[in-house]
Amino acid sequence: MLRDNFYTIVDLESNTNAIHAIIELNEKHPIFKGHFPGQPVVPGVCEMQIVKEILSSVLQKEIRLQKADDIKFLQMIDPALNTTLNVEIDYFINEEQNVDVRSVIYHDNEISFNLIAEFVFSK
């Protein structure tokens, strides 16, 4: 949905239960005209969607957010200043066959987004 339009994946490494991706934001994406005019900021819902899309691509299955135990938006991301972001995702498929996730998005060693959540496989 956002991939290859709002952002592109520059590099992706995945091993058992861990993903590291480097993404590049499209600072000219139309969403920034409204969020916010004159001071563009990556919407929090887009940060959540980036995590979901990267995890789904690695798992090669569609997923949806079941619950979020902890969501923290720690710093705003200005797409003109911070076009390159790191996305770290640690995940575990639990006994109910849902996906427990801990994820951070950061740039310049400053965490801007932190998520602890559970995703379920779409049917």
Side-chain angles (χ1 to χ4, degrees), residues 61-103:
K61 293 183 180 180
E62 288 299 314
I63 57 173
R64 65 179 172 79
L65 182 64
Q66 174 77 7
K67 68 178 181 173
D69 293 325
D70 192 11
I71 303 172
K72 291 184 180 160
F73 302 99
L74 302 167
Q75 297 211 7
M76 293 187 294
I77 302 171
D78 181 334
L81 299 175
N82 307 108
T83 57
T84 303
L85 303 174
N86 290 277
V87 182
E88 300 279 349
I89 304 169
D90 293 320
Y91 66 95
F92 174 76
I93 299 177
N94 64 31
E95 49 196 49
E96 289 88 23
Q97 295 302 299
N98 297 334
V99 187
D100 293 327
V101 171
R102 289 181 177 266
S103 180

Side-chain angles (χ1 to χ4, degrees), residues 20-67:
H20 176 229
I22 299 173
I23 64 170
E24 186 138 323
L25 297 174
N26 173 5
E27 66 179 291
K28 299 193 183 312
H29 193 278
I31 202 165
F32 295 120
K33 290 180 183 170
H35 200 272
F36 295 98
Q39 178 57 59
V41 175
V42 174
V45 69
C46 292
E47 294 175 71
M48 292 177 61
Q49 183 69 21
I50 289 167
V51 171
K52 176 189 174 277
E53 288 181 9
I54 291 171
L55 180 59
S56 181
S57 71
V58 168
L59 294 173
Q60 297 181 342
K61 293 183 180 180
E62 288 299 314
I63 57 173
R64 65 179 172 79
L65 182 64
Q66 174 77 7
K67 68 178 181 173

